[in-house]
Amino acid sequence: MGGGAGETGQPAPVRTLLVWCPDWPVIAAEIVDGVPASTPVAVLHANRVLACSTAARAEGVRRGLRKREAQSRCPQLIVVDHDPGRDARAFESVVAAIEEVAAGVEVIRPGVCALAARGPARYFGGEEQAAERIVEHVAQTCLVESQIGIADGLFAAGLAARTGQIVPPGDAPKFLADLPVEALGRPPLTDLLRRLGLRTLADFAALPAGDVLARFGFDAALAHQLAAGRDHRRLAVRRPPPDLAVTETYDEPLDRVDAAAFAARALAERLHETLSGHALACTRLGIEAVTEHGQELHRVWRHDGLLSSAAIADRVRWQLDGWLSGTNRRPGAGGRVAPSRPTSGIIRLRLIPDGLLAQAGLQPGLWGETGAERDRAHRALSRVQGILGPESVLTAVLGGGRSDADRARLVPWGDERTPGRPAEPPWPGRLPPPAPAVVLAAPLPAAVYDDAGEPVTVTARLQVSAAPARLVVGTAAPVEIVGWAGPWPLDERWWAPAESRRRARFQVRLADGGALLLSLAGGQWAVEAVYD
């Protein structure tokens, strides 16, 4: 059906099968975050409802409502922020399931994908049979409901999917004719057409194409072709991602560390060869094992560089050693106890690469460029993690915060060193650079005096009583202050009296060459940090 030509000499629209998963942002939130889609749920973007569950619609929630209005209609509404990445990740499993029964899938957006109908129709014995087979396979594989529309062209197929229709070949213009102009999905154009008295796609399609282009512009001319059933866009077929995971099954269960180490190296080399064949390297490695008694073990190793062949082999060997020797029973962070050793040997081992990047050298780190010293440090610290658990080796990472003590957090060695809290845009009340060299774990009590010997104070309106002149830290001798800046106020968690903090901060330069960060809270001065 897609190889002929229309009356205008252009190729006829391709017979298209479109798969639509209703309320996909809600379904994705259930798949990824466990939000029950059977309850009233709304996904918000820019404080408006982007999608909602069937239960929420039954309570009067609709797309486009503001958050407060939606909650007034349904007080028990569960509100979820829109996350395009979450939607895309969750939809990948649906696309993979469709690719198991039909080839040439194009992802339109998360929740919607399309493919040429000719192949599946021939294989399954007809378009209706193909649609039923795909819907059934997605439901069984992913536990996701979907609807399918088949028509000439992607636009008509998308509208047909809303009602699960199969539009006969050549009937797309007739199918589209009575639909409202809102079906074009272009609100500014729709509003203009409504004001001109054009209410259906047939009304819009009846206009001369040249006049539409001259009056409304290029995008409206494309919409005009769609309204008339002339959809000539070819499908952009997606290339399925390669399955880079490697798996090995063992007839004799691996219950000794030496045998497991030998198997780990062989499997690691296979994985590295597979990645090299695609010019890739990984920054995370998933290790899965299944024991003879059916116990499933899983661990993800992370690395701040690219995992080489030797690094992959070492991490697999260390993890198997930790599982089989049972040395990982010691308490981890917070007193948690790691899982005990398996009750039987390992019969299946699988390595799953993640965090794929173009193959390149290791990143510079704490020990400099790639070399023997850096490798030994990585091996030693990763070995400690393999024995004592991932929380046994921690490194400091800077994140967002208003004070320097709040900005530092500890992450397990090898984890991604991304900020735990957003640092951009700047936090209101954050101290200006430069950052202090040393942040004291416990602030030192101090006193600040002016030239007359009176204590320096700060009013509620941030007025300094006098210029700071001398600093006394503990029982030390007074030191002259030759320069100062501030105050920088900080009023945090004022709504929780037990957790609130209100203080003013000063940067001071001393006559002996030192520079300090001081704070004044409740009438008491303290030294918080030291500058180089």
Side-chain angles (χ1 to χ4, degrees), residues 307-382:
L307 289 168
S308 63
S309 175
I312 294 174
D314 287 343
R315 280 154 180 77
V316 179
R317 175 168 53 85
W318 295 335
Q319 188 57 53
L320 293 177
D321 186 7
W323 281 335
L324 295 176
S325 65
T327 54
N328 60 348
R329 292 181 58 89
R330 301 182 186 184
R336 297 189 303 269
V337 178
S340 59
R341 62 179 298 176
T343 57
S344 60
I346 294 172
I347 60 172
R348 186 165 68 250
L349 188 60
R350 187 167 186 249
L351 305 184
I352 308 167
D354 195 9
L356 298 175
L357 298 172
Q359 197 168 20
L362 289 172
Q363 302 173 2
L366 181 61
W367 287 271
E369 301 294 338
T370 304
E373 294 181 357
R374 176 185 170 92
D375 290 344
R376 281 199 299 269
H378 277 289
R379 289 171 182 268
L381 297 178
S382 299

Side-chain angles (χ1 to χ4, degrees), residues 434-477:
V438 178
V439 178
L440 302 179
L444 299 177
V448 178
Y449 301 96
D450 59 17
D451 285 332
E454 296 295 327
V456 175
T457 61
V458 178
T459 68
R461 295 183 176 272
L462 300 177
Q463 297 296 320
V464 183
S465 61
R470 289 188 300 280
L471 170 69
V472 178
V473 180
T475 58

Side-chain angles (χ1 to χ4, degrees), residues 38 48 138 184 209 292 333 340 386-387 398 405 429 446 484 497 522:
S38 58
R48 291 186 179 272
V138 170
L184 292 170
E292 190 176 15
S340 59
I387 296 175
L398 286 180
W484 61 280

